[in-house]
């Protein structure tokens, strides 16, 4: 038996059936007409954001990183709940606009923005978080040609890292942002070039579960923003503090203490340098806002054994939910939280079962030797923590199976 990650709080059952947004999992699958499907619970997202806002300083902005989950109905909801969207492609720009996000509330980060993307961003009036000197030159030239005043921020590759983060995106040589020691010079250049100065974007990492590390990174981020602003001699309208708030996926992972983080951030901001006194601050979060709200439901097609090991073969797999298979940014494969949705809370069988997807590759393993109730063909497996980096972050075309259905429930 190998352990699984913790099932997120708030999932209940009725007569043994997992409820998602108050609806039975089997009924949701029947209504969708097919499995596999992703179900996102709007109420959980609302509650999550309300709790986060309550814990954070009152005037702190909250941005959503669209890449975590760009499902259009979910974006429509997010547009009503957050202060801004952070996007990373022209495809995400189109989605943000369709969700009704005003251009003044969208910022575009990410390396490798093409001229076509820069142009679309200029026309939409969104903020470009510059990733390099070369990108700055291209956008200034394009803006000049189009007669549009660009809104520009500088993404800084910080000279520190977010310790213990699952994916480090700052500290050391990085393709993201401009090294802190050259960021001031670039800011002076874009301001001198006539751009509307939007401020700093400082993103130090992702998926951190250590509140102390987040607090330290936030304090270092505010200090860096102050140092750079002094160097430039200009107050930034916005300091995007990045995010990095992690969620518990694996055995032993503990949810973040956001109250402690909010209190520390409040103190950091209260003591900020004079040049930042009029600046706004924002967090940009992806998975923290949506991961727990999502459940991937996939049906058992076959149950078999091999050399004494039991396998449950499902109609989904890593082509929809790559992260649960352990092939998305993890070094050692560990189990996501899983359950049998139609026997939720029932006692596990004596024997462990390995839940594998329908792809013809040994990588396609959703649960390795896990304790589940006796599994039969037709049962529904629920893979939790599927609200972020699921459908859109998985190789949907691999092996030619159909894409997963996605639905948002709990909307009133
Ligand atoms: C990926 C990314 C995010 C979102 O990260 P999460 O871990 O999902 O919160 C935010 N900002 C930037 C710049 C990113 O690249």
């Amino acid at each position: 038996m190998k352990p699984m990650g913790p099932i997120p709080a708030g999932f209940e059952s009725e007569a043994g059936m997992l409820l998602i947004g108050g609806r039975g999992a089997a009924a949701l699958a029947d209504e969708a007409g097919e499995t596999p499907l992703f179900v996102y619970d709007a109420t959980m997202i609302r509650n999550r954001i309300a709790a986060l806002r309550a814990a954070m300083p009152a005037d702190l902005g909250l941005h959503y990183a669209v890449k975590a989950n760009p499902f259009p109905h979910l974006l429509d909801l997010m547009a009503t709940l957050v202060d801004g969207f952070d996007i990373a492609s022209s495809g995400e720009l189109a989605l943000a606009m369709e969700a009704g996000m005003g251009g003044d509330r969208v910022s575009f980060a990410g390396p490798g923005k093409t001229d076509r993307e820069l142009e679309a961003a200029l026309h939409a009036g969104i903020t470009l978080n510059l990733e390099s000197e070369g990108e700055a030159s291209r956008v200034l030239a394009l803006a000049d040609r189009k007669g549009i005043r660009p809104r520009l921020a500088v993404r800084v590759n910080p000279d520190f890292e977010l310790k213990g983060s699952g994916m480090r995106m700052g500290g050391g040589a990085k393709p993201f942002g401009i090294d802190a020691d050259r960021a001031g010079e670039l800011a002076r250049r874009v301001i001198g070039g006539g751009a509307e100065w939007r401020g700093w974007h400082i993103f130090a990492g992702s998926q951190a579960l250590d509140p102390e590390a987040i607090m330290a990174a936030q304090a270092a981020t505010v200090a860096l923003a102050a140092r750079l602003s002094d160097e430039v001699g200009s107050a930034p309208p916005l300091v995007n503090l990045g995010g990095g708030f992690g969620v518990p996926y694996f055995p032993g992972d503990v949810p973040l203490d956001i109250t402690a983080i909010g209190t520390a951030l409040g103190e950091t901001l209260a003591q900020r340098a004079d040049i930042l006194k009029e600046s706004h601050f924002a967090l940009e979060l992806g998975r923290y806002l949506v991961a727990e709200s999502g459940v991937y439901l996939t049906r058992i097609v076959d149950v078999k054994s091999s050399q004494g090991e039991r396998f449950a073969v499902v109609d989904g797999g890593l082509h929809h939910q790559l992260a649960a298979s352990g092939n998305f940014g993890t070094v050692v494969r560990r189990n996501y939280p899983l359950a049998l949705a139609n026997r939720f809370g029932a006692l596990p069988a004596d024997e462990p079962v390995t839940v594998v997807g329908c792809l013809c590759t040994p990588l396609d393993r959703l649960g390795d030797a896990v304790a589940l109730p006796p599994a039969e063909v037709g049962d529904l497996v629920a893979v939790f923590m599927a609200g972020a980096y699921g459908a859109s972050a998985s190789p949907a075309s691999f092996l030619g199976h159909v894409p997963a259905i996605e639905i948002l429930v709990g909307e009133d």
Side-chain angles (χ1 to χ4, degrees):
M1 221 70 99
K2 292 185 185 161
M4 289 185 273
I7 292 176
F11 284 101
E12 286 167 8
S13 63
E14 195 175 272
M17 181 64 68
L18 171 69
L19 299 176
I20 310 170
R23 313 270 310 279
L28 289 166
D30 286 347
E31 214 168 286
E34 260 181 82
T35 49
L37 72 157
F38 285 89
V39 186
Y40 312 118
D41 178 358
T43 305
M44 275 184 92
I45 296 174
R46 272 182 222 283
N47 293 343
R48 183 86 167 165
I49 291 176
L52 181 66
R53 286 207 191 263
M56 291 298 136
D59 42 6
L60 185 71
L62 183 59
H63 294 187
Y64 174 56
V66 168
K67 82 166 189 269
N69 188 333
F71 178 54
H73 293 305
L74 186 139
L75 288 186
D76 291 345
L77 170 70
M78 296 307 276
T80 69
L81 298 175
V82 300
D83 307 303
F85 279 176
D86 291 309
I87 58 156
S89 71
S90 53
E92 289 188 354
L93 172 58
L95 290 172
M97 297 288 124
E98 276 159 33
M101 218 37 168
D104 56 340
R105 296 201 291 157
V106 177
S107 57
F108 185 172
K113 300 181 193 82
T114 64
D115 284 359
R116 190 173 294 183
E117 287 179 312
L118 295 175
E119 213 176 301
L122 288 172
H123 283 297
I126 66 171
T127 294
L128 283 156
N129 295 343
L130 298 173
E131 301 274 347
S132 75
E133 286 93 348
E135 189 174 281
S137 301
R138 285 193 292 131
V139 73
L140 287 170
L142 269 171
D144 208 33
R145 223 178 305 148
K146 300 273 162 201
I148 299 173
R149 188 174 186 217
R151 292 181 150 149
L152 301 180
V154 167
R155 179 172 182 180
V156 185
N157 173 27
D159 45 8
F160 56 85
E161 62 181 22
L162 174 53
K163 296 219 166 50
S165 62
M167 272 185 217
R168 251 177 250 151
M169 292 175 80
K174 289 284 169 334
F176 309 109
I178 292 146
D179 292 352
D181 60 358
R182 299 204 316 269
E185 190 187 320
L186 181 64
R188 272 202 303 271
R189 194 176 125 210
V190 300
I191 295 168
E196 180 183 334
W197 176 233
R198 298 295 303 143
W200 307 109
H201 176 217
I202 305 175
F203 183 82
S206 249
Q207 180 52 19
L209 282 172
D210 174 4
E212 300 288 338
I214 291 176
M215 293 178 212
Q218 288 179 336
T221 300
V222 174
L224 176 59
R227 201 173 82 220
L228 293 172
S229 302
D230 278 330
E231 191 186 324
V232 175
S234 176
L238 177 70
V239 179
N240 178 332
L241 298 168
F245 289 27
V247 290
Y249 292 114
F250 300 120
D253 284 356
V254 175
L256 270 181
D257 179 354
I258 52 167
T259 305
I261 295 171
T263 304
L265 183 56
E267 286 163 12
T268 296
L269 293 180
Q271 295 161 13
R272 67 189 187 265
D274 284 346
I275 195 150
L276 300 180
K277 281 289 185 263
E278 302 297 319
S279 302
H280 292 281
F281 293 81
L283 290 177
E284 60 172 356
L285 297 173
R287 71 187 77 212
Y288 188 82
L289 305 184
V290 295
E292 298 191 356
S293 76
V295 182
Y296 178 59
L297 293 174
T298 176
R299 202 178 290 284
I300 297 179
V301 179
D302 197 7
V303 176
K304 56 193 282 191
S305 71
S306 169
Q307 305 201 358
E309 208 181 312
R310 288 201 316 135
F311 292 89
V313 187
V314 296
D315 60 3
L318 72 75
H319 55 309
H320 301 149
Q321 187 45 14
L322 183 66
S325 76
N327 295 291
F328 188 69
T330 43
V331 180
V332 180
R333 195 204 171 284
R334 288 171 294 167
N335 288 317
Y336 263 46
L338 304 185
L340 282 191
N342 54 313
R343 257 178 280 235
F344 194 60
L347 286 178
D350 297 331
E351 296 284 305
V353 61
T354 290
V355 180
V356 296
C358 58
L359 302 192
C360 202
T361 159
L363 299 177
D364 196 7
R365 201 166 264 241
L366 296 176
D368 188 18
V370 291
L372 291 182
E376 291 166 20
V377 170
D379 285 345
L380 279 175
V381 172
V383 182
F384 294 92
M385 303 304 290
Y389 305 109
S392 72
S394 303
S397 318
F398 187 34
L399 271 143
H401 291 280
V402 292
I405 296 165
E406 296 179 88
I407 57 175
L408 180 73
V409 296
E411 279 278 70
D412 28 43

